[in-house]
Amino acid sequence: MTTEQTHPSPLPDTAPAMADAPRARLRARGLTLAYDERTIVDGLDADIVEGTVTCVIGPNGCGKSTMLRALGRLMRPRAGVVELDGRDIHRVPTREVAQVLGVLPQQPTAPDGLTVADLVARGRHPSQKWYRQWSGDDHRAVSTALERTGLLELADTPLQELSGGQRQRAWISMVLAQGTDLLLLDEPTTFLDLVHQVDVLDLVRDLHRQGGRTIVMVLHDLNLAARYADTIITMRDGRVVASGTPAEVLTPALLREAFDLEAVVTEDPVSGGPLVVPVGRAGR
């Protein structure tokens, strides 16, 4: 299997073009990640470009969530480096990282009885000091986050009384209250029906468009990734096999390589991007 990455055509080799080149907010180089002696990600390179939505896709167990944990400073690499705005993320103070980078892990949990407002308020902890536990800025940040996610009227509702889609919006609201412009979301549509998946992803897209946020999401649905992503990173066996626009990445050849999937790729009648129609497992 080849591990050559595909990319959009490079910018012309001129000084003005280089000056206008997009900045990588997060950069992974030679990243090797392991649990005990089991290597999950091996020698991975990836760039997360400022002001874009990036979706990470790949078969189960390929290392998508593990890579996201490393990008979010939740896991220290065995080898290689993750850079946040050009600095080794593990050399940046924890509070400083939390002020620019928000992470929503897979299947987050909260104590019983916690209300929506209580959860969202936890997103303000990185901005607080020992001598100033709560302020007007904190209150406004929580109210704004609840309003943007459509949960203001549910602020006093216990989390366990919410629907799956509402609960996921509450967690996203907590990350929003953190006030960061870089968000990492690990499978934000897990266990949601299609309507709620679209609801959550529409919210993420609005946050990107209205606030210019840089967003990385791990998704399983290829067509949702195609619809919402500017860039798709495709992984297999702990390595990146393709990185580029949805049209560049979601091709029959790359779907065969990454997923062992035979598929027809046609035009999405809504977005004009690629639409993947599965045919069957490759080789059968």
Side-chain angles (χ1 to χ4, degrees):
M1 181 187 72
T2 178
T3 58
E4 181 180 356
Q5 297 185 29
T6 61
H7 296 278
S9 300
L11 291 169
D13 188 17
T14 63
M18 292 299 293
D20 295 335
R23 178 172 69 112
R25 295 295 311 277
L26 284 168
R27 186 187 302 271
R29 288 294 178 267
L31 201 61
T32 297
L33 306 169
Y35 296 106
D36 296 324
E37 298 305 314
R38 181 168 170 245
T39 298
I40 307 297
V41 170
D42 186 18
L44 180 143
D45 294 342
D47 288 341
I48 305 301
V49 175
E50 182 176 33
T52 63
V53 176
T54 298
C55 286
V56 184
I57 63 172
N60 289 338
C62 72
K64 301 184 298 295
S65 294
T66 301
M67 181 187 80
L68 202 75
R69 284 175 54 82
L71 292 179
R73 200 175 177 266
L74 300 178
M75 184 176 189
R76 185 177 287 273
R78 289 282 176 87
V81 65
V82 173
E83 294 181 353
L84 172 62
D85 294 329
R87 303 164 62 191
D88 183 340
I89 196 169
H90 287 282
R91 295 182 180 274
V92 181
T94 300
R95 181 179 292 273
E96 188 175 333
V97 172
Q99 288 172 347
V100 298
L101 173 63
V103 182
L104 179 59
Q106 223 182 116
Q107 301 178 37
T109 59
D112 290 340
L114 200 71
T115 68
V116 173
D118 292 336
L119 175 69
V120 177
R122 294 187 172 200
R124 297 302 299 164
H125 290 175
S127 300
Q128 295 173 342
K129 309 291 186 182
W130 67 268
Y131 56 83
R132 184 184 61 80
Q133 292 299 305
W134 193 256
S135 70
D137 287 343
D138 295 323
H139 179 76
R140 283 188 291 273
V142 169
S143 295
T144 299
L146 288 168
E147 185 175 5
R148 296 200 70 179
T149 55
L151 294 175
L152 199 56
E153 294 182 357
L154 297 174
D156 296 325
T157 304
L159 283 175
Q160 63 264 28
E161 295 182 14
L162 301 181
S163 68
Q166 289 172 330
R167 193 176 300 116
Q168 199 69 328
R169 292 171 79 95
W171 284 104
I172 293 174
S173 187
M174 184 195 72
V175 177
L176 277 181
Q178 198 172 326
T180 69
D181 64 349
L182 177 55
L183 305 179
L184 307 184
L185 311 176
D186 192 359
E187 298 189 27
T189 59
T190 298
F191 304 130
L192 300 182
D193 60 36
L194 183 58
V195 170
H196 286 106
Q197 289 181 47
V198 172
D199 190 38
V200 167
L201 292 176
D202 280 347
L203 168 62
V204 171
R205 181 170 58 187
D206 289 344
L207 295 174
H208 162 66
R209 288 178 174 175
Q210 296 169 11
R213 289 176 174 83
T214 304
I215 298 173
V216 186
M217 295 187 286
V218 172
L219 291 181
H220 280 291
D221 191 300
L222 302 181
N223 289 320
L224 290 178
R227 178 76 64 87
Y228 290 92
D230 300 305
T231 300
I232 292 180
I233 295 174
T234 305
M235 296 181 63
R236 177 163 181 164
D237 298 330
R239 295 179 180 270
V240 173
V241 297
S243 178
T245 66
E248 291 170 330
V249 170
L250 296 177
T251 66
L254 282 169
L255 292 169
R256 193 177 303 115
E257 179 182 358
F259 293 92
D260 295 322
L261 176 69
E262 293 290 351
V264 174
V265 180
T266 185
E267 181 179 303
D268 186 323
V270 175
S271 69
L275 180 68
V276 178
V277 182
V279 175
R281 183 178 291 276
R284 286 190 176 179

